[in-house]
Amino acid sequence: MLTAVEASTDAGARVARDPVSIVRAVEEPLEAELVAVLASSLAFGNVATILSKVADARARLGAPIVVACAHPADVRRRLAGFKHRLYRGEDVAALLIGAARVQRRAGALGAAFAEHLRVASLQEALARWVDDLRGAGGLDRLRGPGARHLLPDPRVGGSSKRLLLLLRWMVRPRGETDVGHWSHLVPTSRLLIPLDTHLFKLSKNLGLTSRASPSWRAAEEVTAALAALDPGDPVRFDFPLCHLGMAQGCPSRRDDERCEGCKVRPLCVHWQPARSK
Ligand code: SF4
């Protein structure tokens, strides 16, 4: 049934209203990975606002990120005054300066991540990669909630949704949704589902996880359930499920009106026949 949901999703039309559209528009791979870091890190809140804030940050830089970051003081000056939710311009400047430095050192951000993944679990590899970026740009020395939240530590056990979203974009091959610049570096079978609140609730409704909150462990459970359908690429179901949840306005309870036409209703726990006692 999830395969049918995927097949019926108009991915082409929906991508235009998704932050991945920003990354898809960048052809040069090194610039694309920096834009992906920026867009995924700011992917917090309303989609229209995210798209405009990423555009605002790039416009302030006045040049491709890869070029602008050769002059860190200039990046900090240009992003001063930028704000999105709890993120300030200095947080975003430290993020981009760090990412560009790691990129120059390793040749590509994807190569730096793949090197960690060669010897560590996904969670630890991602954490080491985050440490690299935070240390290189000084994000780890900034005070305030934005600096901590912008690039979180996966070791803490949260869902790390925005980091896993970045991996999905970069690792899954270029198709209707993702961009695949890191396809040759990381197998899709190593990815975990980026579990935001909406997808977590939908996953609970489908019985894909029994966890109480959208944690790293919950992402592992949901991914394992999806791997039963496609062990080589379980995260392929992220985009269709995410957009199904948004389009349906899933109420996470039995609701005749809002559940009308929901493609996963036969699997939904709220619509299972009551067991006889
Ligand atoms: S049937 Fe209703 S509650 Fe269940 S997943 Fe669909 S929209 Fe959500």
Side-chain angles (χ1 to χ4, degrees):
M1 181 164 293
L2 296 189
T3 314
V5 169
E6 182 187 38
S8 64
T9 302
D10 186 356
R14 292 199 160 272
V15 151
R17 302 191 295 273
D18 189 286
V20 74
S21 62
I22 303 167
V23 188
R24 290 177 65 82
V26 181
E27 284 186 15
E28 205 285 308
L30 293 180
E31 179 65 8
E33 59 180 21
L34 290 170
V35 170
V37 165
L38 174 66
S40 60
S41 300
L42 296 185
F44 181 48
N46 169 287
V47 174
T49 307
I50 294 165
L51 297 178
S52 82
K53 287 294 175 177
V54 174
D56 177 18
R58 292 175 75 193
R60 285 170 184 256
L61 291 174
I65 301 173
V66 76
V67 174
C69 284
H71 307 284
D74 209 25
V75 169
R76 286 187 203 99
R77 184 181 58 75
R78 284 173 172 271
L79 286 174
F82 174 88
K83 196 160 183 345
H84 172 50
R85 308 285 293 236
L86 46 154
Y87 312 133
R88 301 159 304 172
E90 62 181 318
D91 304 327
V92 177
L95 169 75
L96 294 179
I97 291 164
R101 282 179 177 154
V102 171
Q103 185 183 67
R104 283 197 295 275
R105 252 185 245 153
L109 286 172
F113 173 69
E115 188 58 26
H116 290 310
L117 191 63
R118 206 171 52 75
V119 295
S121 67
L122 179 73
Q123 190 174 16
E124 180 59 26
L126 202 48
R128 291 179 191 181
W129 185 82
V130 163
D131 290 344
D132 292 345
L133 268 65
R134 290 180 64 86
L139 195 57
D140 56 352
R141 296 185 293 280
L142 291 180
R143 291 175 183 272
R148 277 196 308 278
H149 190 276
L150 188 58
L151 207 56
D153 182 351
R155 296 182 190 96
V156 173
S159 72
S160 299
K161 176 244 168 179
R162 290 167 298 130
L163 288 165
L164 294 174
L165 185 62
L166 168 70
L167 288 184
R168 193 204 88 199
W169 293 348
M170 300 307 283
V171 172
R172 291 200 69 252
R174 187 166 184 102
E176 282 189 302
T177 56
D178 302 306
V179 297
H181 289 299
W182 299 354
S183 306
H184 60 297
L185 296 167
V186 179
T188 49
S189 59
R190 297 287 303 268
L191 297 178
L192 274 194
I193 196 111
L195 207 54
D196 65 6
T197 313
H198 304 295
L199 188 54
F200 172 68
K201 281 202 279 184
L202 188 61
S203 299
K204 294 271 286 183
N205 295 342
L206 298 181
L208 304 179
T209 179
S210 55
R211 298 271 157 191
S213 61
S215 59
W216 185 274
R217 295 293 296 277
E220 286 180 327
E221 275 190 12
V222 173
T223 306
L226 297 175
L229 302 172
D230 186 348
D233 187 13
V235 171
R236 74 182 237 212
F237 299 104
D238 175 50
F239 188 87
L241 284 179
C242 205
H243 281 266
L244 167 77
M246 286 194 277
Q248 198 67 39
C250 173
S252 287
R253 60 184 158 75
R254 194 171 175 128
D255 181 316
D256 287 337
E257 200 175 313
R258 288 166 71 187
C259 296
E260 175 68 33
C262 176
K263 294 172 195 150
V264 294
R265 195 158 101 172
L267 298 177
C268 179
V269 295
H270 302 294
W271 287 88
Q272 299 309 304
R275 285 201 195 131
S276 54
K277 295 189 178 164

